[in-house]
Amino acid sequence: MQKSRQLVHIRHGIKEGATTSFIHEQHFAATNPFVLWEHFTSKTSMNHSLNFHGHSGVEAISYPLTGTILHNDSTPQHHIIKSGDIHIMTSGQGVIHKSTTLPQQSISESFQLWVALPTMNNSEMCQPKSQLFNKQHLPLVEDSDSTTKVLVGHYHQHTSPIKSHCELILLDIIMSSYSTWCFTPPKQHLSGFIYLKSGVAYSANNKLTPLQMGLFESSSSPIKITTTNQSSRFFIACAVPLKQPLITNQQSVHSSENNINKSQSTIKKLMSNMNNSNR
């Protein structure tokens, strides 16, 4: 039997307010094309709002587990992202957006993944796009010991309707106790990580506890996860690394300073136009 993919690093994340972040600029060489993974949790009846701000060069995937996210952007789109839905915003050459998180019974919980856009086919500087996919359209694969929700990409014979500019697979898995989950991504999907939301899980003899990210080695080996006396819920992300530099100014990620500068000009113009229209 082929050896399972090993973990090379386990991260606890950096918490700021209600958001814990797990990928930062110094990690890009190891996480490429993943440039952000954030877990938002709040136990309050208050709404959480982010006013208009800009991004470019990334595809931002938002996934609320509890609560609702109201999304407005300059594409222009207005989306109501409910628990279990997926929203994907392709920022391309520059987009501005704002979001408000509405709690459900005083609880809000969501995840956000950013992947850098490839230079191929000018995807990095493409026209922005904003799309919402309702949870009933996302494949749910039920096995004897696990349930796998296919958020992006494919899992066995099941394919999500969400098309990313990157070759990306993102899965949400719930496993019962004393069970094994195994998946062999396509050979070129060398980058990957696991994020454990709840329970205890083992990957290649590495123990993961809740709210830990495990970064997989660059490998085409199968991913094998096991549980003992606790059930668990975790996310698996894997993708084809991009063969390009990744440069960031925190809000955007590009392959060159020139593209960052171009996109910042676009974002400033969008903000100016919005401010003028509100006068």
Side-chain angles (χ1 to χ4, degrees), residues 41-257:
T41 55
S42 174
K43 296 181 179 179
T44 174
S45 59
M46 294 177 58
N47 296 344
H48 293 263
S49 296
L50 280 174
N51 208 352
F52 276 104
H53 59 285
H55 299 295
S56 61
V58 298
E59 207 147 46
I61 299 165
S62 300
Y63 181 47
L65 294 188
T66 306
T68 299
I69 301 173
L70 306 181
H71 175 95
N72 286 277
D73 62 45
S74 54
T75 55
Q77 289 289 329
H78 170 68
H79 287 133
I80 301 173
I81 314 165
K82 297 181 179 180
S83 302
D85 293 346
I86 283 277
H87 180 265
I88 182 166
M89 182 177 73
T90 306
S91 62
Q93 63 186 327
V95 68
I96 61 172
H97 79 109
K98 71 174 182 179
S99 61
T100 301
T101 299
L102 310 178
Q104 178 182 331
Q105 297 180 343
S106 298
I107 296 175
S108 303
E109 183 175 17
S110 61
F111 293 90
Q112 189 165 89
L113 174 69
W114 288 10
V115 290
L117 288 167
T119 56
M120 187 181 300
N121 300 323
N122 200 38
S123 294
E124 180 185 346
M125 301 296 284
C126 67
Q127 287 290 328
K129 190 175 183 179
S130 183
Q131 302 173 83
L132 174 66
F133 295 86
N134 296 324
K135 58 186 175 184
Q136 60 264 33
H137 298 137
L138 302 173
L140 203 61
V141 184
E142 297 186 354
D143 296 313
S144 58
D145 297 316
S146 66
T147 300
T148 301
K149 187 175 181 180
V150 188
L151 304 180
V152 183
H154 64 274
Y155 172 73
H156 297 318
Q157 287 77 44
H158 304 270
T159 302
S160 166
I162 300 172
K163 305 300 181 186
S164 170
H165 283 77
C166 284
E167 294 183 70
L168 167 68
I169 295 172
L170 180 62
L171 308 172
D172 175 7
I173 302 107
I174 297 175
M175 281 179 66
S176 62
S177 57
Y178 299 108
S179 60
T180 299
W181 181 91
C182 190
F183 174 57
T184 303
K187 285 186 177 181
Q188 299 303 314
H189 285 58
L190 302 176
S191 292
F193 67 84
I194 176 174
Y195 181 75
L196 188 68
K197 172 179 153 45
S198 61
V200 175
Y202 289 82
S203 175
N205 296 322
N206 291 108
K207 181 180 180 181
L208 290 163
T209 56
L211 314 185
Q212 287 184 336
M213 167 190 273
L215 182 64
F216 289 112
E217 64 179 336
S218 179
S219 168
S220 59
S221 298
I223 296 171
K224 183 178 179 181
I225 309 299
T226 59
T227 57
T228 54
N229 62 344
Q230 294 186 51
S231 60
S232 66
R233 184 174 187 176
F234 56 93
F235 294 86
I236 294 287
C238 54
V240 177
L242 301 177
K243 296 179 180 179
Q244 65 194 53
L246 297 178
I247 303 168
T248 183
N249 62 358
Q250 307 309 314
Q251 299 300 313
S252 301
V253 178
H254 284 282
S255 62
S256 68
E257 292 285 354

